[in-house]
Amino acid sequence: MTSHSSTLALLAENLKAAAAVATSVTDSADTLADRFPVAPDVLKTLPTRDKLMLYGLLKMVESLQDLLGARIFRGLLAVGGVDLTGLLPRDIANQMEAMGVVDSALAWRSVNDLRNRLAHE
C-alpha cells in the first residue's frame, strides 16, 4: 500500500469514526434537549444521572472536535499534498475555510477555544 493510499484509508476510518460520534452527539443532545441551556446553579441540583449524561455529551463533543481538527482536517491536507510541517491549528482552520470544509476559520477556532475551556474547567 502506498503512502497516499494508506493516508486515504486512515482518512476514511477517521471519517467513519467521526460520523459515529456525531450521531451519538445528536442522540444525546436530543435526549437532553429539555435541560438546555444549563445554568451553573441548575447544574448543581441535577440528578446524578443527568449530570453524567451531560458530562458524557461534553466528552463526545470533545472527541468529535479532536477527530475533525487533529485527524480529518490534517488528513484532507495530506491527501491534497500540503506539507503539514509546522502548521498551526489556525493555519489548518484557514486552509479548511479556503477549501470550503468549514464556513469560517474564525468560527471553528472559537468552537475549538470553547471546547478547550470546557474540557479544562
Side-chain angles (χ1 to χ4, degrees):
M1 187 180 279
T2 68
S3 176
H4 185 71
S5 59
S6 60
T7 300
L8 281 173
L10 184 58
L11 182 57
E13 287 177 33
N14 287 329
L15 286 168
K16 261 193 231 180
V21 173
T23 298
S24 294
V25 166
T26 301
D27 292 346
S28 293
D30 289 347
T31 300
L32 295 167
D34 63 329
R35 296 288 188 194
F36 295 122
V38 181
D41 57 326
V42 172
L43 184 60
K44 294 175 187 174
T45 64
L46 286 177
T48 301
R49 179 182 173 275
D50 288 357
K51 283 182 193 175
L52 291 172
M53 289 176 63
L54 285 168
Y55 292 136
L57 176 58
L58 176 60
K59 294 309 275 180
M60 285 185 281
V61 169
E62 288 177 32
S63 178
L64 182 57
Q65 191 279 334
D66 287 341
L67 277 165
L68 290 169
R71 298 186 184 201
I72 293 172
F73 292 175
R74 292 178 69 81
L76 288 170
L77 293 174
V79 166
V82 174
D83 181 9
L84 302 173
T85 307
L87 278 184
L88 300 172
R90 173 184 52 232
D91 302 323
I92 293 170
N94 289 338
Q95 292 267 356
M96 291 300 103
E97 181 181 7
M99 293 169 63
V101 174
V102 298
D103 291 334
S104 164
L106 180 60
W108 174 258
R109 290 193 311 271
S110 294
V111 168
N112 189 50
D113 291 344
L114 175 61
R115 174 252 178 238
N116 288 340
R117 284 197 320 265
L118 290 171
H120 300 291
E121 290 182 13

